[in-house]
Amino acid sequence: MSLEKLKSKNELDEDDDFYDEEEEDSLLDNYLIFKCDGKDYALEIRFVTEIVALQEITEIPDLPPYLKGIINLRGKVLPVLDVRIRFNMLESEYTERTCLVIAAKENSMIGLIVDAVTEVIKIPSSEIEPPPKMNDTVSSRFVTGIGKAKEGVKIILNLHNLVYEDEVRRIDAQIKELNDK
């Protein structure tokens, strides 16, 4: 199945037979691997709905710097977060490999700007260790675990912690206003 056809459980109706337990099991232990600043990060594939080319981003005033604005993706307005800035990395120019990972976060979706998507791999739960203690730094709350793969280690992200809940509510309200116009 192509990545573009993956759907989040939150998007489906009860009678939609696309999503079933077999499908959920086939996504188990699968992670989308992407790069930011030369490091490999992993996101559970069940949260990923698609990967799209970077497109024009409309800025919204009064957002934190890592929230770059919004995009219109096939008629749906989505907030966009730059992962580099969120992790306090140096900003860099976007390249032809820079892309948006569209991910489902509870009842909303978000675009994550990443340097490049590299692959989808299986990391069994037995190969995942808790994140090391990092003196309670800002970035430590984003890490769910460290996955061991034959190509090295992958930093497994906690999608739910990338954006603060009050920011999500504010963005969702602004997007609702735009969608209602």
Side-chain angles (χ1 to χ4, degrees), residues 42 128-132 142-148 154-158:
I128 298 174
E129 294 184 6
F142 305 132
V143 179
T144 293
I146 305 298
K148 296 179 281 183
K154 312 297 181 193
I155 301 166
I156 300 172
L157 298 180
N158 181 334

Side-chain angles (χ1 to χ4, degrees), residues 1-7 18 23 26-27:
M1 174 189 320
S2 73
L3 194 54
E4 289 78 20
K5 291 185 179 179
L6 291 176
K7 291 185 178 180
F18 178 85
E23 182 74 21
S26 72
L27 299 178

Side-chain angles (χ1 to χ4, degrees), residues 35-173:
K35 288 202 176 283
C36 275
D37 199 28
K39 296 175 189 68
D40 286 334
Y41 293 92
L43 189 61
E44 285 183 74
I45 198 73
R46 67 187 173 108
F47 295 123
V48 177
T49 59
E50 63 185 303
I51 300 164
V52 297
L54 193 59
Q55 52 193 275
E56 184 178 339
I57 299 170
T58 303
E59 291 183 20
I60 295 180
D62 197 31
L63 289 179
Y66 62 87
L67 289 171
K68 299 305 275 186
I70 56 175
I71 60 167
N72 180 344
L73 185 64
R74 291 184 297 284
K76 185 166 176 107
V77 177
L78 305 175
V80 175
L81 179 148
D82 189 313
V83 174
R84 275 179 164 266
I85 299 170
R86 184 65 172 134
F87 291 166
N88 295 319
M89 296 174 182
L90 292 177
E91 278 189 74
S92 77
E93 287 190 34
Y94 298 144
T95 69
E96 68 279 348
R97 300 242 9 219
T98 305
C99 58
L100 285 170
V101 174
I102 308 300
K105 183 185 180 312
E106 294 166 8
N107 291 326
S108 59
M109 296 173 69
I110 188 166
L112 304 172
I113 301 172
V114 301
D115 293 352
V117 169
T118 57
E119 62 187 330
V120 174
I121 64 170
K122 190 174 231 27
I123 305 175
S125 57
S126 62
E127 295 299 312
I128 298 174
E129 294 184 6
K133 299 290 183 221
M134 295 186 255
N135 298 329
D136 200 32
T137 62
V138 174
S139 61
S140 68
R141 75 172 167 271
F142 305 132
V143 179
T144 293
I146 305 298
K148 296 179 281 183
K150 56 185 161 184
E151 307 84 25
V153 296
K154 312 297 181 193
I155 301 166
I156 300 172
L157 298 180
N158 181 334
L159 178 65
H160 298 290
N161 288 349
L162 285 176
V163 181
Y164 299 119
E165 289 308 313
D166 59 330
E167 293 167 347
V168 171
R169 281 191 292 276
R170 185 171 46 155
I171 293 168
D172 284 345

